[in-house]
Amino acid sequence: MKIKNAFFVIAMLSLPAISAEHSGMKMSDMGSSASSQEYMAGMQGMHEKMMAAVKEPDPDKAFAKGMIAHHEGAIEMAETELKYGKDPEMRKLAQDIIKAQKAEIEQMNRWVRDHK
């Protein structure tokens, strides 16, 4: 059951990029502001790394590697919010996300290193 859940989460998080790719839409067509371009570039990179991670035959490693990529994408989005965003609540949330996601990335990287 855990395997199905991990792959379901990763697949669901990948749907926006997959949909844009298959519709012929370019990621750059989805927004013209500087912040939109940064968000889309970060998402595209995140989705590519996540899709590569799910090729890992060990479900635990696939989960960890996919979530590392996902968390790195969240940090990129939060950094874009800090660069362009003005709302204090959203900026605080972005700062909290960066802190939490970095700690979890460290934990998952450590686990991957220990389970080679």
Side-chain angles (χ1 to χ4, degrees):
M1 193 64 156
K2 286 183 181 180
I3 296 169
K4 289 181 184 177
N5 288 341
F7 285 115
F8 175 76
V9 169
I10 292 169
M12 293 306 293
L13 293 170
S14 300
L15 285 177
I18 292 168
S19 296
E21 180 181 314
H22 289 294
S23 71
M25 182 185 297
K26 296 177 186 165
M27 293 299 246
S28 60
D29 293 340
M30 297 179 77
S32 59
S33 72
S35 61
S36 293
Q37 292 301 314
E38 279 192 40
Y39 284 132
M40 296 313 298
M43 286 178 60
Q44 186 171 10
M46 175 189 68
H47 288 291
E48 289 170 5
K49 291 177 187 175
M50 287 174 61
M51 294 308 288
V54 298
K55 293 178 183 175
E56 169 70 52
D58 180 301
D60 296 319
K61 290 179 183 176
F63 173 74
K65 290 177 179 182
M67 290 307 293
I68 289 167
H70 183 262
H71 283 29
E72 289 170 345
I75 290 170
E76 283 187 50
M77 290 184 73
E79 288 170 343
T80 301
E81 167 59 23
L82 293 175
K83 184 175 179 180
Y84 295 101
K86 304 292 184 229
D87 184 83
E89 182 178 356
M90 288 296 101
R91 291 180 56 80
K92 172 72 168 97
L93 180 60
Q95 291 169 338
D96 292 346
I97 287 169
I98 291 168
K99 182 178 178 183
Q101 302 293 300
K102 282 185 175 183
E104 290 180 7
I105 289 169
E106 287 179 25
Q107 177 185 359
M108 290 182 284
N109 276 324
R110 201 170 29 253
W111 185 91
V112 169
R113 277 191 306 271
D114 293 345
H115 292 86
K116 287 190 176 196

